[in-house]
């Protein structure tokens, strides 16, 4: 039959790292849904939406293991150890992360730990928020003639305290998509303007994108730091560039600015 | 039931633009699969894999409408007009694109044309090759401590002949992911090295990623232009940066470097 997809066997004692996408369950991949349906244990981070966790069978053990800026979090080494322990106990272990496991998701570190422990693993890509949240909001991050490059960067410092070269990116990249950048956004915006970006350049804050809690706030680069301070706690993506103006045009034109979710309809 | 996802109604006379992901049908979203199952007509570009097109019901009309570098292509204005004509004839029209419709996919232009014609449309994000192909290959484009930023850029010139500022990106971004960059890769690689990237820096070419035709070729920035000339015609993504070295470590460690596809198993 045309619509049959065959999935690989989720073997006992193995770990699958899967991306859950930006939030809407309809934006899960077929592979991720299969993994959710088949796993014995799901270790999920805080960015996996409750609508997606609700898809797990009742018998599946759900373990929160992740972090949010300024919130509770499980240290990465503890997560690595837990993955290894669960797999060694012959469970089918799903490590479920918001977005894609390798885009600011520390999936690479988990894979290194699993490989070192001799645990067989598999990685399933997901739609990272930088693409899923923006496209669902009709915000074309590489609109032709306006943007030929887009950079995804994090506002958090590296383990060595190193920061992203925002001034350099301001000069070289057409569209900037920032993850986890609310806390340092005032300094980031200042360095972008100092490096030559227009204070009037449009900026969008995408909060809890593609979920029933979604909010999109449009402003300018000059105003954005003030707005950022007023936002409620939420998974937040910040998009900077002329393409944000295109997105604003669509928002008034289409009846479907955002994919429907289970909760929005059910 | 836990596993039920309710999708919005695909109304007659509307257009859905959906991303088909990098190639493997298991990396389709639930929303895209629903769209493929429900559409009357599918206008697909050349990057949508045959494995995915095979999922369409037998009665669905499939129309190729896209382009490949240096190959046949349908002009963008003709595609826009065809979408409008099919929707005006009260079909359920699916515009299916490889990857994500707004990441170097010209989906924004199609949305502008549809909005101007008063056609109701909806956009469904997909996994762009820059993320799907890399993550499936265990290549963590933002591995912590090694890369805090990743840029997606196109090797093609804009409609105004403008080029990406590769030298600026070379200095500011940790990882570079290049789409449609084979034709100009010799010049791009030279400008990256001139801007300070190491000639020994690892580079990966990902060909037809996540399909049964997938090939991953690893080399160095200095050697890459010579390798690029020898590659067979294929959907090609080029990844440049220290993270490519991490990917190479995994490839020998895991039993699952790539998600299984229908064809690989069936």
């Amino acid at each position: 039959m045309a619509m049959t997809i065959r999935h690989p066997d989720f073997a006992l004692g193995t770990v699958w790292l899967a991306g859950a996408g930006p939030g809407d369950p309809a934006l899960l991949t077929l592979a991720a849904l299969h993994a959710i349906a088949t796993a014995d244990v799901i270790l999920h981070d805080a960015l996996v939406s409750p609508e997606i966790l609700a898809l797990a069978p009742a018998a599946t053990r759900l373990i929160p293991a992740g972090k949010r800026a300024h919130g509770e979090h499980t240290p990465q080494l503890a997560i690595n150890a837990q993955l290894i322990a669960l797999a060694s106990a012959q469970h089918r272990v799903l490590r479920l992360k918001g977005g894609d496991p390798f885009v600011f998701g520390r999936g690479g570190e988990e894979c290194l730990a699993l490989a070192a422990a001799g645990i067989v693993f598999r990685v399933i890509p997901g739609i990272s928020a930088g693409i899923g949240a923006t496209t669902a909001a009709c915000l074309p991050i590489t609109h032709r003639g306006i943007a030929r490059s887009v950079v995804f960067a994090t506002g958090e410092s590296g383990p060595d305290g190193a920061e992203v070269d925002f001034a350099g990116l301001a000069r070289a990249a057409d569209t900037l998509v920032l993850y986890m950048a609310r806390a340092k956004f005032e300094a980031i915006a200042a360095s972008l303007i100092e490096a030559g970006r227009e204070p009037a350049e449009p900026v969008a804050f995408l909060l809890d994108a593609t979920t029933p809690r979604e909010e999109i706030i449009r402003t300018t680069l000059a105003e954005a730091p003030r707005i950022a301070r007023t936002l409620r706690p939420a998974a937040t993506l910040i998009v900077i560039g002329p393409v944000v103006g295109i997105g604003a045009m669509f928002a008034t034109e289409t009846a479907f600015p955002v994919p429907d979710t289970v909760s929005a309809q059910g």
Side-chain angles (χ1 to χ4, degrees), chain A residues 6-199:
Chain A
R6 295 176 63 179
H7 294 285
D9 184 43
F10 197 158
L12 296 173
T14 66
V15 176
W16 286 10
L17 285 88
D24 182 347
L27 297 178
L28 281 171
T29 62
L30 307 180
L33 183 68
H34 168 74
I36 291 169
T38 314
D40 300 314
V41 188
I42 301 178
L43 250 82
H44 61 89
D45 71 21
L47 289 172
V48 179
S49 70
E51 289 79 10
I52 286 172
L53 293 177
L55 296 174
T60 307
R61 196 172 145 203
L62 297 179
I63 306 176
K67 52 195 179 108
R68 264 189 196 279
H70 312 301
E72 286 177 47
H73 76 283
T74 316
Q76 187 63 49
L77 291 179
I79 296 173
N80 298 354
Q82 198 167 17
L83 289 172
I84 291 166
L86 288 164
S88 300
Q90 293 303 301
H91 294 297
R92 295 177 190 91
V93 185
L94 174 60
R95 175 64 172 129
L96 192 62
K97 291 167 174 285
D100 178 273
F102 283 169
V103 178
F104 306 118
R106 305 189 67 171
E109 290 164 79
E110 294 172 15
C111 290
L112 284 174
L114 292 167
I119 306 285
V120 172
F121 64 91
R122 178 169 182 260
V123 182
I124 301 172
I127 301 182
S128 186
I131 291 174
T134 52
T135 293
C138 270
L139 200 167
I141 53 177
T142 64
H143 196 75
R144 191 160 183 266
I146 295 181
R148 285 174 301 277
S149 62
V150 55
V151 67
F152 294 177
T154 173
E156 303 207 326
S157 309
D160 48 0
E163 304 269 349
V164 169
D165 175 8
F166 286 107
L169 293 175
R171 285 185 287 263
D174 296 322
T175 307
L176 288 88
V177 175
L178 308 183
Y179 291 64
M180 300 169 286
R182 276 174 62 162
K184 297 190 181 165
F185 188 63
E186 190 154 352
I188 293 169
S191 75
L192 297 179
I193 291 174
E194 201 184 309
R197 303 293 285 221
E198 289 292 330

Side-chain angles (χ1 to χ4, degrees), chain A residues 24-27 210 255-265:
Chain A
D24 182 347
L27 297 178
T210 79
F256 302 105
V258 174
D260 298 73
T261 68
V262 172
S263 305
Q265 293 190 71

